[in-house]
Amino acid sequence: MHELAIAESIVAIADRHADGRRVTRVEVSVGHLRQVVPSALEFAFELVAPGVELEITEVPAVGRCRTCGAESRLDGFPLTCPGCGAFDLELIAGEELLVESLDLEEEAAYGC
């Protein structure tokens, strides 16, 4: 299950940016072509970061045909242009795996 390695990487990224503060929520975008199973990623994330909420936004695969110029959503393999059937596509979206945002606890206030 490669989702466990992905979950560990997400936690490492969050820890680096949290600067010592507690992470409460992580938002990630996962492209369709990354072949990540969202439920498996959620399960793995719960194992490595219990109590931290994970929100996954699935990004569909989108391509631009270099033959006819059509831009369309690509739902399955093989990746072909739905308009003309050509295989010569430029991928515009769907390969992402991004940590989009973190919710962090406020730093403790020090004082009298």
Side-chain angles (χ1 to χ4, degrees):
M1 169 166 86
H2 74 285
E3 284 84 356
L4 182 58
I6 293 169
E8 289 171 337
S9 294
I10 292 169
V11 168
I13 290 166
D15 284 345
R16 259 194 326 269
H17 292 281
D19 195 29
R21 292 172 288 174
R22 184 177 171 279
V23 178
T24 59
R25 185 169 179 264
V26 179
E27 292 182 26
V28 296
S29 293
V30 179
H32 177 71
L33 298 175
R34 284 287 163 194
Q35 298 182 359
V36 172
V37 178
S39 60
L41 180 56
E42 289 170 350
F43 177 76
F45 190 81
E46 179 62 31
L47 291 175
V48 296
V52 179
E53 181 185 349
L54 176 67
E55 181 178 320
I56 301 171
T57 301
E58 296 180 59
V59 180
V62 177
R64 181 178 301 117
C65 180
R66 290 185 178 110
T67 302
C68 73
E71 190 174 302
S72 53
R73 185 176 176 155
L74 308 168
D75 292 320
F77 293 97
L79 299 178
T80 59
C81 175
C84 72
F87 288 94
D88 191 12
L89 299 171
E90 173 190 0
L91 291 174
I92 298 170
E95 294 185 302
E96 299 85 351
L97 183 50
L98 304 169
V99 175
E100 298 285 355
S101 70
L102 305 173
D103 286 357
L104 307 169
E105 284 187 348
E106 294 288 328
E107 292 185 77
Y110 296 101
C112 299

